Amino acid sequence: MQKSLHIIALLVLTVPLALAQKSASRQEWVRIFNGKDLSGWDIKIAGLPLNDNYKNTVRVEDGMMRIAYDQYKTFDGKYGHIYYKKPFSYYRVRFMYRFVGEQTPGGDSWNVRNSGIMVHSQSAQSLSLDQTFPVSLELQLLGGLGKGPRHTGNVCTPGTQVHMNNKLQEAHCIDSDSKTYDGDQWITAEAIVLGDSIVHHVVNGDTVLTFERPQVGGGFTAPDNWQSGHFSDEAAKYWISRANTPLGEGYIALQAESHPIDFKNVEVLDLKGCTDPKALNYKSYFVKSDNTQCQYKKR
């Protein structure tokens, strides 16, 4: 009997401790796409007003957010993006994607099995009517064409610029070292975005690209180039005035640029608390590169 009581006492002490440890280490990922409808998202397609879902380009089917062009005769420059309602600064965004079918007639040749997810993006509401791409950092998604290597998880820089190894990169798109993924298979991708300091691109669990010090600048925001992005005069002046300044927060947007693509399991882990000195693991995420969820000290 005494032995049984000892076991019970031990369980009483250890079970709450185990639960507390499990709770403390839990990562609070939030599904920002609910798999049922487009609640919390705004659509902006070039040449059309906010939330005009031209020819049902963005739709929800079978738990997926689908970018589809079956109602188009020709693409006709209808570059579009769908933006989540809330901005982030320090965060991880993770999702699954797959390319399907054939490219829409009229799409640019470089957009075959080409899409992306934009991070640190300007808001949907701030885009000019005819603007083709938001000022943002693009985690570019490329599908294999059965003709040799074609990396995914690259970075492209519409209206932005980045550094690698403390050197400003002049190229608009920078290749990752990912594998090539042919066909219509599902791929898991992630961006680990730490303010204006560092960004990692992860594909199927492998870190395939890292860059630092994202800034506004280059590309569309160069004084002689902004017209190519179809900015209004007022918007162009604003972004040009911000050239070479840090880009440390913004919105998440999924891209629609002529090839059908499906997204699912779009989720975010907000890491902003890790920069707060009151957090138990203040800056541990950045120092240890682990996956610790931020927890706050009792005041």
Side-chain angles (χ1 to χ4, degrees), residues 45-102:
I45 297 174
L48 299 167
L50 184 66
N51 287 320
D52 184 335
N53 190 7
Y54 180 75
K55 295 187 181 296
N56 201 23
T57 302
V58 186
R59 62 192 71 166
V60 178
E61 295 176 353
D62 300 324
M64 298 177 289
M65 187 187 297
R66 314 197 74 173
I67 309 298
Y69 298 96
D70 52 334
Q71 297 179 26
Y72 283 58
K73 289 185 179 180
T74 181
F75 182 62
D76 195 27
K78 293 293 191 297
Y79 288 98
H81 299 78
I82 178 165
Y83 300 75
Y84 186 59
K85 63 182 179 180
K86 177 184 175 182
F88 297 93
S89 55
Y90 292 79
Y91 59 101
R92 297 170 62 185
V93 55
R94 186 169 62 195
F95 59 97
M96 298 182 71
Y97 73 93
R98 67 175 180 184
F99 291 101
V100 293
E102 302 298 324

Short mmCIF file of all heavy atoms in Angstrom, two decimals, residues 45-102:
data_model
loop_
_atom_site.label_atom_id
_atom_site.label_comp_id
_atom_site.label_asym_id
_atom_site.label_seq_id
_atom_site.Cartn_x
_atom_site.Cartn_y
_atom_site.Cartn_z
N ILE A 45 -5.61 42.47 -58.42
CA ILE A 45 -5.14 42.09 -59.74
C ILE A 45 -4.88 43.36 -60.54
O ILE A 45 -5.67 44.31 -60.48
CB ILE A 45 -6.19 41.20 -60.45
CG1 ILE A 45 -6.35 39.88 -59.66
CG2 ILE A 45 -5.76 40.90 -61.89
CD1 ILE A 45 -7.46 38.98 -60.20
N ALA A 46 -3.78 43.40 -61.26
CA ALA A 46 -3.37 44.59 -62.00
C ALA A 46 -4.48 45.07 -62.93
O ALA A 46 -5.06 44.29 -63.68
CB ALA A 46 -2.10 44.31 -62.81
N GLY A 47 -4.77 46.38 -62.83
CA GLY A 47 -5.78 47.00 -63.68
C GLY A 47 -7.18 46.91 -63.16
O GLY A 47 -8.12 47.46 -63.76
N LEU A 48 -7.37 46.25 -62.03
CA LEU A 48 -8.71 46.06 -61.46
C LEU A 48 -8.75 46.58 -60.03
O LEU A 48 -7.73 46.60 -59.34
CB LEU A 48 -9.08 44.57 -61.48
CG LEU A 48 -9.15 43.94 -62.88
CD1 LEU A 48 -9.20 42.43 -62.78
CD2 LEU A 48 -10.35 44.47 -63.64
N PRO A 49 -9.93 47.00 -59.56
CA PRO A 49 -10.03 47.51 -58.18
C PRO A 49 -9.81 46.41 -57.16
O PRO A 49 -9.89 45.21 -57.45
CB PRO A 49 -11.46 48.07 -58.12
CG PRO A 49 -12.20 47.40 -59.21
CD PRO A 49 -11.22 47.09 -60.29
N LEU A 50 -9.54 46.84 -55.93
CA LEU A 50 -9.31 45.92 -54.83
C LEU A 50 -10.48 44.95 -54.68
O LEU A 50 -11.65 45.35 -54.73
CB LEU A 50 -9.12 46.71 -53.53
CG LEU A 50 -8.78 45.92 -52.27
CD1 LEU A 50 -7.39 45.29 -52.39
CD2 LEU A 50 -8.84 46.83 -51.05
N ASN A 51 -10.15 43.67 -54.52
CA ASN A 51 -11.11 42.59 -54.29
C ASN A 51 -12.03 42.30 -55.47
O ASN A 51 -13.08 41.67 -55.31
CB ASN A 51 -11.91 42.82 -53.01
CG ASN A 51 -11.06 42.58 -51.77
OD1 ASN A 51 -10.26 41.63 -51.73
ND2 ASN A 51 -11.20 43.43 -50.77
N ASP A 52 -11.63 42.71 -56.67
CA ASP A 52 -12.28 42.24 -57.89
C ASP A 52 -11.59 40.92 -58.28
O ASP A 52 -10.48 40.92 -58.79
CB ASP A 52 -12.13 43.27 -59.02
CG ASP A 52 -12.88 42.87 -60.29
OD1 ASP A 52 -13.11 41.66 -60.50
OD2 ASP A 52 -13.21 43.78 -61.08
N ASN A 53 -12.24 39.81 -57.98
CA ASN A 53 -11.68 38.49 -58.26
C ASN A 53 -11.99 38.12 -59.71
O ASN A 53 -12.85 37.29 -60.01
CB ASN A 53 -12.25 37.46 -57.29
CG ASN A 53 -11.53 36.12 -57.36
OD1 ASN A 53 -10.50 35.97 -58.03
ND2 ASN A 53 -12.07 35.14 -56.66
N TYR A 54 -11.26 38.74 -60.61
CA TYR A 54 -11.47 38.64 -62.05
C TYR A 54 -11.55 37.18 -62.50
O TYR A 54 -10.64 36.38 -62.27
CB TYR A 54 -10.33 39.36 -62.76
CG TYR A 54 -10.38 39.35 -64.26
CD1 TYR A 54 -11.28 40.16 -64.95
CD2 TYR A 54 -9.50 38.55 -65.00
CE1 TYR A 54 -11.30 40.17 -66.34
CE2 TYR A 54 -9.52 38.56 -66.38
CZ TYR A 54 -10.42 39.37 -67.05
OH TYR A 54 -10.44 39.38 -68.42
N LYS A 55 -12.69 36.84 -63.13
CA LYS A 55 -12.91 35.50 -63.69
C LYS A 55 -12.61 34.37 -62.70
O LYS A 55 -12.11 33.31 -63.06
CB LYS A 55 -12.11 35.32 -64.98
CG LYS A 55 -12.56 36.25 -66.11
CD LYS A 55 -11.87 35.94 -67.42
CE LYS A 55 -12.33 36.90 -68.52
NZ LYS A 55 -13.77 36.76 -68.84
N ASN A 56 -12.92 34.66 -61.43
CA ASN A 56 -12.77 33.64 -60.38
C ASN A 56 -11.35 33.07 -60.35
O ASN A 56 -11.15 31.87 -60.20
CB ASN A 56 -13.79 32.51 -60.60
CG ASN A 56 -14.05 31.70 -59.35
OD1 ASN A 56 -13.84 32.18 -58.23
ND2 ASN A 56 -14.50 30.46 -59.52
N THR A 57 -10.37 33.99 -60.46
CA THR A 57 -8.97 33.57 -60.48
C THR A 57 -8.58 32.84 -59.20
O THR A 57 -7.89 31.82 -59.24
CB THR A 57 -8.05 34.80 -60.66
OG1 THR A 57 -8.40 35.48 -61.87
CG2 THR A 57 -6.59 34.39 -60.74
N VAL A 58 -9.01 33.37 -58.05
CA VAL A 58 -8.67 32.77 -56.77
C VAL A 58 -9.92 32.10 -56.22
O VAL A 58 -10.97 32.75 -56.07
CB VAL A 58 -8.15 33.82 -55.77
CG1 VAL A 58 -7.66 33.14 -54.49
CG2 VAL A 58 -7.04 34.66 -56.39
N ARG A 59 -9.82 30.84 -55.91
CA ARG A 59 -10.99 30.11 -55.41
C ARG A 59 -10.56 29.09 -54.36
O ARG A 59 -9.37 28.74 -54.27
CB ARG A 59 -11.70 29.41 -56.56
CG ARG A 59 -10.84 28.37 -57.27
CD ARG A 59 -11.46 27.89 -58.57
NE ARG A 59 -11.42 28.92 -59.61
CZ ARG A 59 -11.65 28.65 -60.91
NH1 ARG A 59 -11.96 27.42 -61.29
NH2 ARG A 59 -11.58 29.61 -61.81
N VAL A 60 -11.51 28.62 -53.58
CA VAL A 60 -11.24 27.61 -52.56
C VAL A 60 -11.98 26.34 -52.94
O VAL A 60 -13.19 26.34 -53.13
CB VAL A 60 -11.69 28.09 -51.17
CG1 VAL A 60 -11.44 27.01 -50.12
CG2 VAL A 60 -10.96 29.38 -50.78
N GLU A 61 -11.22 25.25 -53.05
CA GLU A 61 -11.78 23.95 -53.40
C GLU A 61 -11.04 22.87 -52.63
O GLU A 61 -9.80 22.85 -52.62
CB GLU A 61 -11.66 23.68 -54.90
CG GLU A 61 -12.46 24.61 -55.79
CD GLU A 61 -12.25 24.36 -57.28
OE1 GLU A 61 -11.37 23.53 -57.63
OE2 GLU A 61 -12.96 24.99 -58.07
N ASP A 62 -11.80 21.97 -51.99
CA ASP A 62 -11.20 20.81 -51.31
C ASP A 62 -10.09 21.20 -50.34
O ASP A 62 -9.05 20.53 -50.26
CB ASP A 62 -10.66 19.80 -52.34
CG ASP A 62 -11.75 19.29 -53.28
OD1 ASP A 62 -12.90 19.12 -52.82
OD2 ASP A 62 -11.46 19.10 -54.47
N GLY A 63 -10.30 22.31 -49.61
CA GLY A 63 -9.32 22.73 -48.62
C GLY A 63 -8.12 23.45 -49.18
O GLY A 63 -7.19 23.78 -48.42
N MET A 64 -8.12 23.70 -50.48
CA MET A 64 -6.99 24.36 -51.13
C MET A 64 -7.37 25.76 -51.59
O MET A 64 -8.51 26.01 -51.95
CB MET A 64 -6.54 23.56 -52.36
CG MET A 64 -6.05 22.15 -52.09
SD MET A 64 -5.65 21.28 -53.63
CE MET A 64 -7.28 21.03 -54.33
N MET A 65 -6.39 26.68 -51.58
CA MET A 65 -6.54 27.95 -52.26
C MET A 65 -5.95 27.76 -53.65
O MET A 65 -4.76 27.49 -53.81
CB MET A 65 -5.80 29.07 -51.53
CG MET A 65 -6.07 30.45 -52.13
SD MET A 65 -5.05 31.78 -51.40
CE MET A 65 -5.61 31.76 -49.70
N ARG A 66 -6.80 27.87 -54.66
CA ARG A 66 -6.39 27.54 -56.02
C ARG A 66 -6.31 28.82 -56.87
O ARG A 66 -7.23 29.64 -56.86
CB ARG A 66 -7.35 26.56 -56.66
CG ARG A 66 -7.72 25.38 -55.78
CD ARG A 66 -8.32 24.23 -56.54
NE ARG A 66 -7.27 23.52 -57.29
CZ ARG A 66 -7.49 22.37 -57.94
NH1 ARG A 66 -8.71 21.84 -57.97
NH2 ARG A 66 -6.51 21.78 -58.59
N ILE A 67 -5.21 28.97 -57.59
CA ILE A 67 -5.06 30.02 -58.59
C ILE A 67 -5.34 29.35 -59.93
O ILE A 67 -4.57 28.49 -60.37
CB ILE A 67 -3.65 30.63 -58.56
CG1 ILE A 67 -3.24 31.03 -57.14
CG2 ILE A 67 -3.55 31.79 -59.53
CD1 ILE A 67 -4.10 32.09 -56.50
N ALA A 68 -6.44 29.72 -60.55
CA ALA A 68 -6.90 29.00 -61.74
C ALA A 68 -7.26 29.97 -62.86
O ALA A 68 -7.69 31.10 -62.61
CB ALA A 68 -8.10 28.12 -61.40
N TYR A 69 -7.12 29.51 -64.09
CA TYR A 69 -7.33 30.37 -65.26
C TYR A 69 -8.24 29.72 -66.30
O TYR A 69 -8.21 30.08 -67.46
CB TYR A 69 -5.97 30.71 -65.89
CG TYR A 69 -5.07 31.48 -64.97
CD1 TYR A 69 -4.10 30.82 -64.20
CD2 TYR A 69 -5.18 32.86 -64.83
CE1 TYR A 69 -3.27 31.53 -63.34
CE2 TYR A 69 -4.36 33.58 -63.96
CZ TYR A 69 -3.42 32.90 -63.22
OH TYR A 69 -2.60 33.59 -62.35
N ASP A 70 -9.09 28.81 -65.85
CA ASP A 70 -9.95 28.09 -66.80
C ASP A 70 -11.02 28.98 -67.42
O ASP A 70 -11.63 28.61 -68.43
CB ASP A 70 -10.59 26.87 -66.13
CG ASP A 70 -11.30 27.21 -64.83
OD1 ASP A 70 -10.92 28.21 -64.18
OD2 ASP A 70 -12.24 26.50 -64.46
N GLN A 71 -11.26 30.17 -66.85
CA GLN A 71 -12.25 31.10 -67.43
C GLN A 71 -11.59 32.20 -68.27
O GLN A 71 -12.26 33.09 -68.76
CB GLN A 71 -13.07 31.71 -66.30
CG GLN A 71 -13.89 30.68 -65.51
CD GLN A 71 -14.69 31.30 -64.38
OE1 GLN A 71 -15.04 32.49 -64.41
NE2 GLN A 71 -14.99 30.50 -63.36
N TYR A 72 -10.26 32.14 -68.42
CA TYR A 72 -9.52 33.11 -69.23
C TYR A 72 -9.41 32.61 -70.67
O TYR A 72 -9.21 31.42 -70.92
CB TYR A 72 -8.09 33.27 -68.71
CG TYR A 72 -7.90 34.10 -67.47
CD1 TYR A 72 -8.55 33.79 -66.27
CD2 TYR A 72 -7.03 35.19 -67.48
CE1 TYR A 72 -8.32 34.54 -65.12
CE2 TYR A 72 -6.80 35.95 -66.34
CZ TYR A 72 -7.45 35.62 -65.16
OH TYR A 72 -7.23 36.35 -64.02
N LYS A 73 -9.47 33.53 -71.63
CA LYS A 73 -9.08 33.22 -73.00
C LYS A 73 -7.58 33.48 -73.16
O LYS A 73 -6.89 32.73 -73.84
CB LYS A 73 -9.88 34.06 -73.99
CG LYS A 73 -11.34 33.64 -74.09
CD LYS A 73 -12.05 34.44 -75.18
CE LYS A 73 -13.50 33.98 -75.30
NZ LYS A 73 -14.23 34.75 -76.37
N THR A 74 -7.11 34.58 -72.53
CA THR A 74 -5.69 34.92 -72.55
C THR A 74 -5.36 35.63 -71.25
O THR A 74 -6.22 36.28 -70.65
CB THR A 74 -5.35 35.81 -73.76
OG1 THR A 74 -3.93 36.10 -73.74
CG2 THR A 74 -6.13 37.11 -73.75
N PHE A 75 -4.11 35.52 -70.80
CA PHE A 75 -3.71 36.08 -69.52
C PHE A 75 -3.79 37.60 -69.51
O PHE A 75 -4.25 38.21 -68.54
CB PHE A 75 -2.29 35.62 -69.18
CG PHE A 75 -1.81 36.11 -67.84
CD1 PHE A 75 -2.45 35.75 -66.67
CD2 PHE A 75 -0.70 36.95 -67.76
CE1 PHE A 75 -1.99 36.20 -65.44
CE2 PHE A 75 -0.23 37.40 -66.54
CZ PHE A 75 -0.88 37.03 -65.38
N ASP A 76 -3.33 38.23 -70.56
CA ASP A 76 -3.48 39.68 -70.76
C ASP A 76 -2.92 40.51 -69.61
O ASP A 76 -3.51 41.51 -69.19
CB ASP A 76 -4.96 40.01 -70.98
CG ASP A 76 -5.17 41.41 -71.56
OD1 ASP A 76 -4.26 41.90 -72.25
OD2 ASP A 76 -6.23 42.01 -71.30
N GLY A 77 -1.78 40.10 -69.07
CA GLY A 77 -1.10 40.91 -68.05
C GLY A 77 -1.82 41.03 -66.73
O GLY A 77 -1.55 41.96 -65.95
N LYS A 78 -2.71 40.10 -66.42
CA LYS A 78 -3.48 40.19 -65.17
C LYS A 78 -2.70 39.60 -64.00
O LYS A 78 -3.14 38.67 -63.33
CB LYS A 78 -4.83 39.47 -65.34
CG LYS A 78 -5.78 40.14 -66.33
CD LYS A 78 -6.24 41.48 -65.81
CE LYS A 78 -7.38 42.07 -66.61
NZ LYS A 78 -7.05 42.37 -68.01
N TYR A 79 -1.54 40.20 -63.74
CA TYR A 79 -0.75 39.76 -62.59
C TYR A 79 -1.52 40.08 -61.31
O TYR A 79 -2.04 41.18 -61.14
CB TYR A 79 0.60 40.47 -62.57
CG TYR A 79 1.54 40.00 -63.65
CD1 TYR A 79 1.68 40.71 -64.84
CD2 TYR A 79 2.27 38.83 -63.48
CE1 TYR A 79 2.54 40.25 -65.84
CE2 TYR A 79 3.13 38.37 -64.47
CZ TYR A 79 3.25 39.09 -65.65
OH TYR A 79 4.09 38.63 -66.63
N GLY A 80 -1.57 39.10 -60.41
CA GLY A 80 -2.35 39.30 -59.20
C GLY A 80 -1.69 38.71 -57.97
O GLY A 80 -0.77 37.88 -58.06
N HIS A 81 -2.17 39.15 -56.81
CA HIS A 81 -1.71 38.63 -55.53
C HIS A 81 -2.89 38.64 -54.56
O HIS A 81 -3.79 39.47 -54.67
CB HIS A 81 -0.58 39.49 -54.96
CG HIS A 81 0.64 39.53 -55.83
ND1 HIS A 81 0.71 40.32 -56.96
CD2 HIS A 81 1.81 38.86 -55.74
CE1 HIS A 81 1.88 40.13 -57.55
NE2 HIS A 81 2.57 39.27 -56.82
N ILE A 82 -2.86 37.72 -53.62
CA ILE A 82 -3.87 37.70 -52.56
C ILE A 82 -3.14 37.87 -51.24
O ILE A 82 -2.21 37.14 -50.91
CB ILE A 82 -4.73 36.42 -52.60
CG1 ILE A 82 -5.74 36.44 -51.45
CG2 ILE A 82 -3.90 35.15 -52.64
CD1 ILE A 82 -6.85 35.41 -51.60
N TYR A 83 -3.57 38.89 -50.46
CA TYR A 83 -2.83 39.39 -49.30
C TYR A 83 -3.54 39.04 -48.00
O TYR A 83 -4.74 39.29 -47.85
CB TYR A 83 -2.71 40.92 -49.37
CG TYR A 83 -2.00 41.45 -50.59
CD1 TYR A 83 -2.63 41.46 -51.84
CD2 TYR A 83 -0.70 41.95 -50.50
CE1 TYR A 83 -1.97 41.95 -52.96
CE2 TYR A 83 -0.05 42.45 -51.61
CZ TYR A 83 -0.68 42.45 -52.84
OH TYR A 83 -0.04 42.92 -53.95
N TYR A 84 -2.77 38.51 -47.03
CA TYR A 84 -3.35 38.30 -45.71
C TYR A 84 -3.49 39.64 -45.01
O TYR A 84 -2.67 40.55 -45.19
CB TYR A 84 -2.48 37.34 -44.89
CG TYR A 84 -3.10 36.98 -43.56
CD1 TYR A 84 -4.35 36.36 -43.51
CD2 TYR A 84 -2.47 37.29 -42.36
CE1 TYR A 84 -4.94 36.05 -42.30
CE2 TYR A 84 -3.05 36.97 -41.15
CZ TYR A 84 -4.29 36.36 -41.12
OH TYR A 84 -4.88 36.06 -39.92
N LYS A 85 -4.50 39.77 -44.17
CA LYS A 85 -4.92 41.06 -43.61
C LYS A 85 -3.95 41.65 -42.60
O LYS A 85 -3.98 42.85 -42.34
CB LYS A 85 -6.27 40.89 -42.93
CG LYS A 85 -6.23 39.91 -41.75
CD LYS A 85 -7.59 39.71 -41.12
CE LYS A 85 -7.54 38.72 -39.96
NZ LYS A 85 -8.87 38.53 -39.35
N LYS A 86 -3.06 40.84 -42.00
CA LYS A 86 -2.25 41.29 -40.88
C LYS A 86 -0.77 41.35 -41.26
O LYS A 86 -0.26 40.40 -41.85
CB LYS A 86 -2.44 40.33 -39.70
CG LYS A 86 -1.59 40.63 -38.48
CD LYS A 86 -1.78 39.56 -37.41
CE LYS A 86 -0.83 39.79 -36.23
NZ LYS A 86 -0.96 38.72 -35.21
N PRO A 87 -0.08 42.44 -40.92
CA PRO A 87 1.37 42.50 -41.18
C PRO A 87 2.16 41.76 -40.10
O PRO A 87 1.69 41.59 -38.97
CB PRO A 87 1.68 44.00 -41.15
CG PRO A 87 0.67 44.54 -40.19
CD PRO A 87 -0.58 43.72 -40.36
N PHE A 88 3.37 41.34 -40.44
CA PHE A 88 4.26 40.66 -39.51
C PHE A 88 5.66 41.24 -39.66
O PHE A 88 6.00 41.82 -40.68
CB PHE A 88 4.31 39.15 -39.79
CG PHE A 88 3.01 38.44 -39.60
CD1 PHE A 88 2.15 38.25 -40.67
CD2 PHE A 88 2.65 37.95 -38.36
CE1 PHE A 88 0.94 37.58 -40.50
CE2 PHE A 88 1.44 37.29 -38.18
CZ PHE A 88 0.59 37.10 -39.25
N SER A 89 6.48 41.04 -38.63
CA SER A 89 7.87 41.49 -38.70
C SER A 89 8.86 40.35 -38.46
O SER A 89 9.74 40.10 -39.27
CB SER A 89 8.11 42.63 -37.70
OG SER A 89 7.76 42.24 -36.38
N TYR A 90 8.71 39.65 -37.33
CA TYR A 90 9.54 38.48 -37.03
C TYR A 90 8.60 37.27 -37.05
O TYR A 90 7.73 37.15 -36.19
CB TYR A 90 10.20 38.61 -35.66
CG TYR A 90 11.25 39.69 -35.57
CD1 TYR A 90 10.89 41.02 -35.43
CD2 TYR A 90 12.61 39.37 -35.64
CE1 TYR A 90 11.85 42.02 -35.37
CE2 TYR A 90 13.58 40.36 -35.56
CZ TYR A 90 13.18 41.69 -35.43
OH TYR A 90 14.13 42.68 -35.36
N TYR A 91 8.82 36.35 -37.96
CA TYR A 91 7.85 35.27 -38.12
C TYR A 91 8.38 34.15 -39.02
O TYR A 91 9.41 34.31 -39.71
CB TYR A 91 6.54 35.79 -38.72
CG TYR A 91 6.68 36.46 -40.07
CD1 TYR A 91 6.36 35.79 -41.24
CD2 TYR A 91 7.14 37.77 -40.17
CE1 TYR A 91 6.48 36.41 -42.48
CE2 TYR A 91 7.27 38.40 -41.40
CZ TYR A 91 6.94 37.71 -42.55
OH TYR A 91 7.08 38.33 -43.77
N ARG A 92 7.69 33.03 -38.96
CA ARG A 92 7.89 31.95 -39.92
C ARG A 92 6.57 31.75 -40.66
O ARG A 92 5.51 31.70 -40.02
CB ARG A 92 8.28 30.65 -39.21
CG ARG A 92 9.60 30.73 -38.47
CD ARG A 92 9.83 29.51 -37.57
NE ARG A 92 9.90 28.27 -38.34
CZ ARG A 92 10.00 27.06 -37.78
NH1 ARG A 92 9.99 26.94 -36.45
NH2 ARG A 92 10.08 25.99 -38.53
N VAL A 93 6.62 31.67 -41.96
CA VAL A 93 5.43 31.36 -42.74
C VAL A 93 5.73 30.06 -43.50
O VAL A 93 6.75 29.94 -44.18
CB VAL A 93 5.02 32.50 -43.70
CG1 VAL A 93 6.15 32.93 -44.62
CG2 VAL A 93 3.79 32.11 -44.51
N ARG A 94 4.82 29.11 -43.37
CA ARG A 94 5.03 27.77 -43.95
C ARG A 94 3.78 27.39 -44.73
O ARG A 94 2.65 27.71 -44.33
CB ARG A 94 5.30 26.78 -42.82
CG ARG A 94 5.66 25.38 -43.28
CD ARG A 94 6.18 24.57 -42.09
NE ARG A 94 5.18 24.40 -41.04
CZ ARG A 94 5.45 23.99 -39.81
NH1 ARG A 94 6.70 23.74 -39.44
NH2 ARG A 94 4.49 23.85 -38.91
N PHE A 95 3.96 26.68 -45.82
CA PHE A 95 2.84 26.33 -46.69
C PHE A 95 3.22 25.18 -47.60
O PHE A 95 4.41 24.81 -47.71
CB PHE A 95 2.43 27.54 -47.54
CG PHE A 95 3.53 28.06 -48.42
CD1 PHE A 95 3.64 27.69 -49.75
CD2 PHE A 95 4.50 28.92 -47.90
CE1 PHE A 95 4.67 28.15 -50.55
CE2 PHE A 95 5.55 29.39 -48.70
CZ PHE A 95 5.63 29.01 -50.03
N MET A 96 2.23 24.61 -48.27
CA MET A 96 2.45 23.60 -49.29
C MET A 96 1.93 24.13 -50.62
O MET A 96 0.94 24.86 -50.65
CB MET A 96 1.76 22.28 -48.92
CG MET A 96 2.28 21.66 -47.64
SD MET A 96 1.47 20.07 -47.25
CE MET A 96 2.20 19.02 -48.55
N TYR A 97 2.60 23.77 -51.70
CA TYR A 97 2.17 24.22 -53.03
C TYR A 97 2.41 23.13 -54.06
O TYR A 97 3.24 22.23 -53.86
CB TYR A 97 2.92 25.49 -53.44
CG TYR A 97 4.37 25.26 -53.83
CD1 TYR A 97 4.73 25.02 -55.16
CD2 TYR A 97 5.39 25.26 -52.87
CE1 TYR A 97 6.06 24.79 -55.52
CE2 TYR A 97 6.70 25.04 -53.23
CZ TYR A 97 7.04 24.81 -54.55
OH TYR A 97 8.35 24.58 -54.90
N ARG A 98 1.66 23.22 -55.14
CA ARG A 98 1.92 22.35 -56.29
C ARG A 98 1.48 23.09 -57.56
O ARG A 98 0.45 23.77 -57.57
CB ARG A 98 1.17 21.03 -56.18
CG ARG A 98 -0.34 21.14 -56.27
CD ARG A 98 -1.03 19.79 -56.27
NE ARG A 98 -2.49 19.94 -56.36
CZ ARG A 98 -3.35 18.93 -56.31
NH1 ARG A 98 -2.91 17.68 -56.14
NH2 ARG A 98 -4.66 19.15 -56.41
N PHE A 99 2.26 22.98 -58.60
CA PHE A 99 1.85 23.46 -59.91
C PHE A 99 0.97 22.40 -60.56
O PHE A 99 1.17 21.20 -60.36
CB PHE A 99 3.06 23.75 -60.79
CG PHE A 99 3.87 24.93 -60.34
CD1 PHE A 99 5.05 24.76 -59.63
CD2 PHE A 99 3.43 26.22 -60.61
CE1 PHE A 99 5.78 25.85 -59.20
CE2 PHE A 99 4.16 27.32 -60.19
CZ PHE A 99 5.34 27.13 -59.48
N VAL A 100 0.00 22.85 -61.34
CA VAL A 100 -0.88 21.91 -62.02
C VAL A 100 -1.10 22.35 -63.47
O VAL A 100 -1.14 23.55 -63.77
CB VAL A 100 -2.26 21.79 -61.31
CG1 VAL A 100 -2.09 21.13 -59.95
CG2 VAL A 100 -2.92 23.14 -61.16
N GLY A 101 -1.25 21.37 -64.35
CA GLY A 101 -1.66 21.65 -65.72
C GLY A 101 -0.68 22.48 -66.52
O GLY A 101 0.53 22.49 -66.29
N GLU A 102 -1.26 23.24 -67.46
CA GLU A 102 -0.48 24.02 -68.40
C GLU A 102 -0.65 25.52 -68.13
O GLU A 102 -1.63 25.95 -67.54
CB GLU A 102 -0.93 23.71 -69.84
CG GLU A 102 -0.82 22.25 -70.23
CD GLU A 102 0.62 21.74 -70.19
OE1 GLU A 102 1.52 22.54 -70.55
OE2 GLU A 102 0.84 20.58 -69.80
#
